[in-house]
Amino acid sequence: SQELEQSPQSLIVQEGKNLTINCTSSKTLYGLYWYKQKYGEGLIFLMMLQKGGEEKSHEKITAKLDEKKQQSSLHITASQPSHAGIYLCGAPDFSGGYNKLIFGAGTRLAVHP
Amino acid sequence: GAGVSQSPSNKVTEKGKDVELRCDPISGHTALYWYRQSLGQGLEFLIYFQGNSAPDKSGLPSDRFSAERTGGSVSTLTIQRTQQEDSAVYLCASSPGARDNQPQHFGDGTRLSIL
């Protein structure tokens, strides 16, 4: 079965610093989703990557999928307190013929003013 | 509303009681998913609906768990004879279809606490 490993598990940065979160898959990815979760809330969809080498940006967040489609990174530039939360990577498991998602354990990000 | 709606947002109940959790997906989304998020287990898949049918129930932890969906819209997850290990956040997600690689949109979840 496919597994997603995220690193680091937690991250504390000072406001204004850049940071990177990684997501590594045990198998080739057929798509990779990044979500953000705040305590007591659901998952907020950030970005979806499908093609090897693909890169997408939204505001100060950039996500990349490597050429081999087994690793993705999420980069935040000039972090702000509003970026704090848990970042989860998810990948579709098409073994059942449909888009069931498996998730990494998450990276907990704290941004200190 | 525009997003996935779940109710109740919080539920506290005694061990052995039955609970029902509700999910109202985004209008027009044919695919609906239930996930569970608990400490130490992360986010795990429970069940998937396409329309009113549930082709995959493999993630349901035991026969105390069941779910249904009516009218291709609202879904209810029922847990009978609740146990303390059922305490978790139950999340519902929907997407326009299940075979296309489209993002799933999540509700805010129901936080279930079993005393």
Side-chain angles (χ1 to χ4, degrees):
Chain A
S1 61
Q2 187 172 19
E3 294 183 354
L4 297 178
E5 183 174 334
Q6 285 187 240
S7 62
Q9 291 183 340
S10 63
L11 195 53
I12 302 173
V13 300
Q14 196 166 13
E15 183 176 1
K17 296 295 186 183
N18 302 336
L19 63 104
T20 299
I21 298 169
N22 294 301
C23 177
T24 302
S25 174
S26 58
K27 297 183 179 181
T28 300
L29 293 163
Y30 291 98
L32 192 288
Y33 301 93
W34 282 102
Y35 287 88
K36 179 185 174 184
Q37 184 179 32
K38 290 193 170 183
Y39 182 78
E41 299 179 13
L43 277 63
I44 300 169
F45 170 72
L46 297 176
M47 276 172 279
M48 178 180 77
L49 304 166
Q50 287 186 266
K51 301 176 183 178
E54 186 175 10
E55 179 176 323
K56 287 187 177 178
S57 294
H58 176 67
E59 297 180 343
K60 294 184 178 181
I61 300 176
T62 300
K64 301 178 185 179
L65 182 61
D66 75 341
E67 290 288 344
K68 294 183 179 180
K69 296 175 67 176
Q70 282 201 266
Q71 186 171 43
S72 177
S73 61
L74 186 82
H75 185 77
I76 299 177
T77 303
S79 58
Q80 300 170 358
S82 60
H83 287 128
I86 300 172
Y87 289 82
L88 291 148
C89 63
D93 175 1
F94 285 107
S95 61
Y98 61 92
N99 195 7
K100 174 176 77 174
L101 292 181
I102 59 168
F103 287 89
T107 295
R108 189 178 298 271
L109 172 65
V111 180
H112 289 176
Chain B
V4 177
S5 178
Q6 291 188 245
S7 61
S9 53
N10 287 283
K11 178 71 176 179
V12 181
T13 192
E14 294 179 346
K15 176 183 172 181
K17 299 289 187 182
D18 297 351
V19 295
E20 283 190 354
L21 312 180
R22 176 188 168 105
C23 172
D24 200 341
I26 293 172
S27 178
H29 282 193
T30 61
L32 185 147
Y33 308 81
W34 282 97
Y35 295 86
R36 181 170 72 173
Q37 188 175 34
S38 53
L39 290 174
Q41 295 294 326
L43 230 165
E44 52 182 347
F45 165 83
L46 297 178
I47 187 170
Y48 148 69
F49 284 93
Q50 179 58 45
N52 292 335
S53 300
D56 189 349
K57 307 177 183 180
S58 63
L60 295 178
S62 74
D63 58 8
R64 296 185 295 105
F65 287 72
S66 63
E68 64 175 12
R69 188 180 185 192
T70 56
S73 181
V74 173
S75 176
T76 303
L77 178 69
T78 301
I79 307 174
Q80 295 178 310
R81 305 181 302 282
T82 52
Q83 303 293 313
Q84 287 188 334
E85 61 263 28
D86 299 335
S87 296
V89 177
Y90 290 82
L91 292 160
C92 175
S94 70
S95 66
R99 295 190 179 276
D100 296 327
N101 204 354
Q102 300 184 50
Q104 296 176 19
H105 297 274
F106 285 78
D108 284 344
T110 294
R111 184 173 299 274
L112 177 64
S113 299
I114 310 299
L115 302 178

